Structure formats: C-alpha cells, structure tokens
Amino acid sequence: METEKKEQMNHFPQGEEKPGLVERYATTIKLFFVAMLTLMLLIPLAMIQSLIGERQNTRQEVVREITSKWGGEQTITGPCLVIPYEEIRVEEKREIVERRNLLLLPETLDAKISTSVEERRRGIYDASVYRSNILLTGEFDISVIARQNLNPSQVKWNDVRMIIGLSDLKGIQEQVSLEQDGEVTIFEPGIPVENLEPGRGSASDNMLYELFSVGLNAKPAFPTPDSALQEIYPFSVAMRLNGSRGIYVVPAGKTTTASIQSDWTTPSFDGEFLPQTREISDKGFVAEWRVLDLNRSFGQVIRSDNSNTLNQMAASRFGVRFIQAVDQYRQNMRSVKYGILVLLLTFVAVLFIELMRKRRINPFQYLLVGLALLLFYTLLLSMSELLGFNLAYLIAAVMTTLLISLHMGSILGSQRQGVQIGVLLLFLYLFLFLLIQMESYALLAGSLGLFVILAVIMYYSKQLR
C-alpha cells in the first residue's frame, strides 16, 4: 500500500496539484460543446430556409401581378366545330327532346407560332413575357358525323359554331379572323355552348388549367345541310397573342403538326409530347412536333359533357416554357442544405488547431464563427437577387472567409493558422459550389468528397491525446 501511494505521489511533480475532473475531460467536454453548438445553429439555418421560401413566394407574386396585366400562360385548343343536335328519348310514354352538342376535331391541324420574348421588371424582380404570331390551318371532315349513328335531320346546321379555347383573353392584340374559301369571319369572345365541360389539366408545376373556360367563337360558312356531310372544310385562323411563362398547343387534329420558333435561348420543352426536331442556339430556338391520333387517348368526335375525355384532351397538350436560365432560389436552398456540413467541418478544424497547438479558445468564439458561417447564406440570398447566383456566391464566400480567417488568426495569435482556416473554408465553399452546379452526379461527387474529408480527419486525429 505504501508503495502504491508513493507511485501516485511521484506521478505528479511536487508543487503541482492533481488535475480536476474538468481538466481531465476537457477534450470530451469541448467535443460535446461543439456538437451541441452545431445542433443549436440548425435552428437559425432552418429560419434561413424559411426566408428563402418567403423571398421566392414574393417573386412569384410579383410575376403573377405582371403577367396578370400582360397575359398569362397560353394554351391553344382547336379550332373545333360545335355540332348541336336534338336527341329524342321516351320517358313514361312521353317523347322528350334534349339538345346536345358534339365537338368535332379537325382532320388536320398545323400550328405555326413565332414568339418574341421580353423581360419586364418590377423592383428587383423580373418576368418573362412574350408576343406571338399564330397561324392555325387545317381542315374538317364533316363525314365523320355520319359514323356517330346520328341522323343528319337531328343536326341543327344553322347553329354550328367554331370555337377556340384560350387561357387568357387579355393577351389578344387584334381581331382574330377565320378564313374559309376566301370568306373572312371575325371571331367573337366567349364560348356559348351549353353543358360544355372545361377540360381540366395539371401542369408540371402543379398549376391547374382549363381548355374551354374562356375562348372565342365564330359562325363558319356552310353550304346547304344536304351536302354538308360530304364536304371537307378547310380553315385558316390568324391571331396575335401576348402571354407569359409558356405557350402550349393541344393536338386536336387527327394529324397535328406544330412549329414554335423564338428568340429565347433557354427553352424548356414541356407537356405530353417532346418535339421531333429542335435547334437551339444563342439566337433562339426552333422546335417542331408531329402528333397522330394514335398517340393520344381520345377520338375526333367528343360529347361536350364528357368530362373524362375532355380532361384527357387537356392532359395531351405540348409546348414550351420560357424559363430563367438560373433559378437562384433553388440554388440558395440547395446551398443551405449543405450548411450543417460547413458548420461541422469548420468547428472540427478549429478544435483540432486548438488541441494540437494547445491554445485554448473561448466557447464564445466558436459561437461567433458559427454566426459568421450562417451570415454567408443571408449574404448569398440578398446578393443573388441582384447579381445572380454565381457572382453572389463568390463575393459572399470571400467575405466570410476573410472575416473568419482574420478573426481566428487574431484569437490564436498566429496569422498562419488563420490562413489555414481560411484555406479550408475556401476549399469547402468550392466543393459545395461544384455540388450545387451538378444535377445527376451530385450524390456521387458529394459521397466521394466526404469520404476524402473523413479520411483526412481520421489521419490528423491520431495526434490527439
């Protein structure tokens, strides 16, 4: 027993007190503090994510306000012929005459659309709007009606109307004319068809749209009812239409061809069908579609009250969206999702320097470093709205790196160690920037990068005692 006591006394030099509990577990306590601080900083990080969402909603509201006055996203449906007829049914030995309508779709439809895109600004926000010249040509085969078990005497030929569904009538810039065999008829606003279902669809951004909620109608020129079923009726419709965000065509023809050309350089082809050919250059794009009736799930004759078929018709639209080349809010959100990685690795680097250099750092300084790292994201968000994401990222990263490296160099009493922390931060920001720019390979690159970082941490952790 006396020998053991002597060994314990000899273990601590004379004049030195036995280290207390805090001193013996200082490294463990500091690690626990860093972990808790990182978790606490996730709260303001989540608040920054909420701020990004609010700014994005503000931009969308401004865009909606601009486009509501100019013209919204346009979906062109038709032209279609509305064939009214009378149907007789017997109920309790009484004949009841009901008036119904058939929608006759064109045998061929060719849409030629040329657009000129402009940017309208309000404050720091902008919206893409366009002017378009549209020419719709094709022909109707009225004989299709005879295959619907419909007696020609039931048809009210004098009430036949031609309709075109549009999304926003505010975009019409001049009179819309229908030309048939040299005769010109001017379209009137509205679709005066009883029991016509609107035909609802959902866009890729989950926005709902309707085909026939608003539109135009005209009285076409028909010969005598006796010869109507044997006739092919060509048509040509010209219009000038303003809109925003995108323009779409519904493949109403048994054979539908469409050509869209524009000076917009970053188109996003959208809808049920992709273009068969497309050319994109720094001067704009040209895209062409060809859709057959076999490619869709509805026929050439549709009852006006058949909501399921009209909904299928709405879902078949195709076209182009005039999107911004860079969505800074989406990139900001992706950068914030990597925030915990930046916080944790920076704290680990500072902790390693503290332990290996035996320079104690006040826990309050860790908090200041964490707040500076969070400030990077608010700087990035605010500047990206004005300068674009890439330049804003560069400026915010340089400002944050300089602030932290100078501060840590002063705290540690060594500018060299401050520069080391700065170099580490620059590497992290560069690594995260590359991940944000990647789409398909972001997960692979991120996993490999984290593997290398973990290997480096494991190597230097051997020096800790």
Side-chain angles (χ1 to χ4, degrees):
M1 292 291 295
E2 293 181 0
T3 304
E4 290 181 0
K5 289 180 179 181
K6 289 180 180 179
E7 288 179 356
Q8 291 177 0
M9 293 176 62
N10 292 335
H11 184 71
F12 302 102
Q14 190 174 0
E16 285 191 16
E17 296 182 1
K18 180 180 178 181
L21 182 65
V22 174
E23 287 79 4
R24 279 186 292 167
Y25 296 99
T27 302
T28 302
I29 294 173
K30 186 59 71 73
L31 285 172
F32 178 77
F33 169 77
V34 169
M36 292 302 298
L37 179 60
T38 302
L39 293 176
M40 288 176 58
L41 290 177
L42 290 180
I43 298 175
L45 202 63
M47 296 173 65
I48 294 175
Q49 285 183 313
S50 177
L51 177 62
I52 295 173
E54 290 178 6
R55 299 296 292 182
Q56 188 174 21
N57 291 336
T58 301
R59 179 186 181 277
Q60 291 174 349
E61 290 176 4
V62 173
V63 169
R64 277 195 292 268
E65 185 177 351
I66 295 173
T67 57
S68 66
K69 296 177 174 59
W70 178 270
E73 183 180 272
Q74 298 286 7
T75 299
I76 303 166
T77 308
C80 308
L81 286 180
V82 179
I83 311 293
Y85 67 97
E86 291 182 347
E87 186 176 75
I88 301 175
R89 63 184 179 88
V90 178
E91 185 174 307
E92 296 181 355
K93 298 182 180 181
R94 291 186 305 161
E95 289 188 350
I96 299 177
V97 179
E98 293 183 345
R99 189 181 176 98
R100 300 184 182 277
N101 296 290
L102 292 178
L103 290 183
L104 176 62
L105 307 186
E107 191 74 7
T108 62
L109 174 63
D110 179 58
K112 287 184 169 57
I113 303 173
S114 62
T115 65
S116 175
V117 183
E118 307 171 8
E119 288 191 359
R120 297 298 173 96
R121 298 189 66 87
R122 177 164 298 177
I124 63 174
Y125 303 108
D126 56 50
S128 299
V129 300
Y130 62 82
R131 305 175 189 267
S132 66
N133 292 313
I134 301 170
L135 179 62
L136 305 174
T137 59
E139 59 185 23
F140 288 97
D141 182 4
I142 309 299
S143 65
V144 175
I145 298 295
R147 298 194 289 270
Q148 303 300 313
N149 296 323
L150 186 65
N151 193 316
S153 62
Q154 297 176 259
V155 178
K156 300 301 180 181
W157 295 104
N158 292 330
D159 296 332
V160 172
R161 309 292 291 186
M162 180 180 289
I163 63 172
I164 297 178
L166 297 174
S167 300
D168 194 345
L169 297 184
K170 289 193 298 293
I172 299 175
Q173 295 304 294
E174 60 183 26
Q175 294 289 349
V176 180
S177 60
L178 165 65
E179 183 177 346
Q180 284 183 293
D181 296 328
E183 295 187 20
V184 177
T185 305
I186 302 301
F187 277 89
E188 299 174 358
I191 302 179
V193 180
E194 295 180 2
N195 302 320
L196 176 60
E197 290 291 329
R200 296 181 177 88
S202 177
S204 56
D205 56 0
N206 296 323
M207 295 291 291
L208 299 179
Y209 60 90
E210 296 181 344
L211 300 186
F212 296 114
S213 58
V214 294
L216 306 174
N217 77 93
K219 174 68 176 174
F222 275 120
T224 60
D226 296 335
S227 60
L229 293 178
Q230 286 77 40
E231 294 289 342
I232 297 293
Y233 293 97
F235 63 86
S236 177
V237 178
M239 71 177 76
R240 292 180 59 194
L241 191 64
N242 287 353
S244 60
R245 296 191 300 274
I247 187 166
Y248 294 85
V249 175
V250 174
K254 190 172 184 178
T255 300
T256 302
T257 55
S259 172
I260 301 179
Q261 61 179 10
S262 174
D263 56 359
W264 191 251
T265 57
T266 56
S268 174
F269 300 110
D270 191 25
E272 190 71 10
F273 304 97
L274 293 177
Q276 288 191 333
T277 62
R278 59 183 178 181
E279 296 180 7
I280 304 175
S281 66
D282 55 358
K283 295 182 180 179
F285 73 91
V286 177
E288 295 181 347
W289 287 260
R290 186 171 186 269
V291 181
L292 304 177
D293 61 335
L294 299 176
N295 304 134
R296 45 176 223 207
S297 56
F298 55 92
Q300 291 306 107
V301 180
I302 304 172
R303 280 183 51 163
S304 63
D305 57 355
N306 190 334
S307 60
N308 290 334
T309 303
L310 289 172
N311 291 343
Q312 292 172 354
M313 187 176 176
S316 68
R317 73 172 189 170
F318 61 85
V320 61
R321 293 177 63 85
F322 303 106
I323 63 170
Q324 298 290 338
V326 177
D327 185 353
Q328 66 266 19
Y329 297 104
R330 179 167 168 266
Q331 291 181 315
N332 270 278
M333 190 65 74
R334 291 189 65 187
S335 67
V336 172
K337 290 179 179 179
Y338 294 111
I340 185 173
L341 179 63
V342 177
L343 287 170
L344 189 58
L345 292 179
T346 303
F347 286 157
V348 168
V350 174
L351 181 62
F352 272 27
I353 292 176
E354 175 185 359
L355 296 177
M356 289 189 293
R357 304 298 181 185
K358 293 181 172 50
R359 298 294 300 269
R360 291 196 175 186
I361 299 177
N362 192 297
F364 181 68
Q365 304 303 330
Y366 280 90
L367 177 61
L368 291 179
V369 171
L371 294 177
L373 292 173
L374 294 178
L375 186 60
F376 163 80
Y377 298 103
T378 58
L379 288 171
L380 176 60
L381 174 61
S382 59
M383 289 190 292
S384 65
E385 292 181 325
L386 298 174
L387 307 175
F389 182 82
N390 292 349
L391 182 58
Y393 191 96
L394 175 63
I395 296 174
V398 171
M399 290 176 62
T400 305
T401 301
L402 286 176
L403 177 64
I404 293 177
S405 60
L406 292 175
H407 177 70
M408 293 309 301
S410 175
I411 295 298
L412 295 171
S414 171
Q415 292 301 323
R416 179 172 175 271
Q417 293 174 357
V419 170
Q420 289 176 347
I421 295 176
V423 171
L424 172 66
L425 273 177
L426 285 177
F427 169 77
L428 284 177
Y429 284 133
L430 177 61
F431 174 62
L432 295 182
F433 181 78
L434 295 177
L435 289 182
I436 293 170
Q437 298 302 313
M438 293 180 179
E439 292 290 342
S440 302
Y441 298 100
L443 178 60
L444 176 61
S447 300
L448 293 176
L450 288 177
F451 179 84
V452 173
I453 292 173
L454 180 60
V456 172
I457 292 175
M458 292 174 68
Y459 175 79
Y460 282 101
S461 65
K462 296 187 299 183
Q463 302 180 34
L464 300 180
R465 293 291 182 267

